[in-house]
């Protein structure tokens, strides 16, 4: 563990470069930490004088991926608070919690409730310190979890998730929905679809529908409202590019 901390101190450029990549990727909704980690790792390989060391235990590769994932969470917070668009599944949960308490994320939240925003920022910074301290204290035992056979871990997780699904509304049918969602998620993952995008889409569906109808009411039923402003047109073009880029 001490050697790991020393390696981080010996690679300041890796930490800075990977953190910047993580924050930029985190700001983009729906991309996720896995993409950020992969991008930072590849950037580190390209920046290395000896790329052949990577994939064989090179500390810079691990530091790059880990630093990016931590910075990605920070980037996720920006679109969630500033625009009401969650950057990840975790931020989608945070968005739901804010709405549940009558706080509408967006520019007005920053203006009217700056204390909430600062609490989130300081809480995020404090969580990094607390999580590091917890990991240093428990790494010896947490490492042994990887040795537990999957048949023992699976049933325990199934019980815990079932209790959680039932406890929300005290409805046994929610457990069935959870099981069907699990089967759907398994199928999506098997065929290479990212689950984080599905989760974010599920959370944003109601918000998107409300905003769509509000826009049409403002424009008296005219769809031109989505194209006649520079920002709206730019966002629409970016959406089209994102959809057709894989093709």
């Amino acid at each position: 563990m001490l050697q790991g901390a020393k390696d981080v101190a010996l690679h300041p450029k890796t930490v800075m470069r990977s953190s910047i990549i993580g924050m930029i990727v985190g700001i983009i909704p729906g991309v996720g930490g896995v993409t950020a980690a992969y991008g930072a790792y590849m950037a580190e390989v390209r920046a290395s004088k000896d790329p052949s060391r990577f994939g064989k235990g090179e500390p810079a590769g691990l530091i790059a991926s880990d630093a990016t994932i931590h910075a990605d969470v920070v980037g996720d917070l920006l679109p969630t608070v500033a625009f009401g668009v969650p950057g990840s599944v975790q931020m989608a949960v945070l968005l739901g919690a804010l709405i549940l308490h009558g706080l509408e994320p967006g520019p007005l939240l920053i203006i009217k409730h700056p204390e909430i925003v600062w609490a989130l920022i300081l809480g995020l910074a404090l969580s990094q310190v607390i999580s590091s301290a917890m990991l240093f204290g428990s790494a010896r035992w947490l490492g042994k979890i990887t040795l537990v056979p999957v048949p023992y871990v699976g049933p325990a997780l199934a019980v815990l998730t079932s209790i959680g699904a039932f406890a929300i509304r005290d409805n046994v049918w929610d457990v069935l929905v959870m099981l069907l969602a699990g089967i759907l998620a398994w199928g999506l993952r098997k065929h290479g679809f990212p689950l984080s995008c599905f989760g974010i889409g599920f959370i944003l569906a109601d918000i998107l529908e409300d905003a769509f109808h509000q826009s049409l009411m403002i424009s008296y039923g005219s769809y031109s409202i989505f194209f006649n402003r520079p920002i709206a047109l730019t966002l629409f073009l970016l959406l089209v590019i994102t959809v057709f880029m894989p093709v």
Side-chain angles (χ1 to χ4, degrees):
M1 288 186 287
L2 293 176
Q3 182 60 44
K6 184 179 179 181
D7 287 336
V8 174
L10 294 174
H11 295 82
K13 291 182 179 179
T14 300
V15 173
M16 289 299 297
R17 180 166 46 240
S18 302
S19 297
I20 292 171
I21 293 173
M23 288 190 66
I24 294 173
V25 174
I27 292 172
I28 304 172
V31 178
V34 175
T35 304
Y38 182 77
Y41 183 86
M42 295 306 298
E44 198 59 33
V45 172
R46 293 191 184 99
S48 176
K49 295 179 180 179
D50 186 10
S52 62
R53 295 181 302 172
F54 286 80
K56 302 175 182 177
E58 170 60 31
L62 181 61
I63 293 170
S65 301
D66 201 45
T68 306
I69 291 173
H70 284 274
D72 175 77
V73 178
V74 179
D76 287 341
L77 188 65
L78 178 59
T80 305
V81 174
F83 305 112
V85 179
S88 64
V89 175
Q90 294 91 335
M91 290 300 157
V93 175
L94 174 63
L95 181 67
L98 291 174
I99 295 173
L100 187 66
H101 289 282
L103 298 169
E104 186 174 348
L108 289 178
L109 177 65
I110 300 174
I111 296 171
K112 293 184 177 180
H113 300 282
E115 71 281 359
I116 299 293
V117 179
W118 278 110
L120 291 172
I121 294 172
L122 294 174
L124 202 57
L126 183 62
S127 70
Q128 301 291 325
V129 178
I130 294 175
S131 62
S132 297
M134 289 175 62
L135 286 172
F136 265 103
S138 58
R140 187 187 302 255
W141 296 275
L142 289 174
K144 296 180 180 179
I145 295 177
T146 58
L147 303 177
V148 179
V150 174
Y152 294 109
V153 178
L157 289 176
V159 171
L160 291 174
T161 51
S162 298
I163 293 173
F166 177 79
I168 294 174
R169 299 192 305 169
D170 293 334
N171 190 339
V172 71
W173 290 105
D174 288 344
V175 180
L176 177 60
V177 172
M178 182 204 72
L179 293 173
L180 293 175
I183 295 171
L184 175 63
W186 172 80
L188 290 172
R189 175 171 288 177
K190 184 178 180 181
H191 291 87
F193 292 96
L195 297 181
S196 59
C197 297
F198 184 84
I200 292 173
F202 185 80
I203 295 294
L204 287 180
D206 289 340
I207 300 173
L208 175 64
E209 189 173 352
D210 290 341
F212 179 75
H213 286 296
Q214 287 172 358
S215 300
L216 290 180
M217 290 173 65
I218 293 171
S219 64
Y220 298 100
S222 174
Y223 291 93
S224 63
I225 191 172
F226 300 110
F227 314 104
N228 59 9
R229 298 292 180 90
I231 295 178
L233 181 61
T234 301
L235 291 173
F236 181 79
L237 291 175
L238 288 174
L239 178 63
V240 172
I241 292 171
T242 303
V243 171
F244 287 100
M245 189 178 292
V247 180

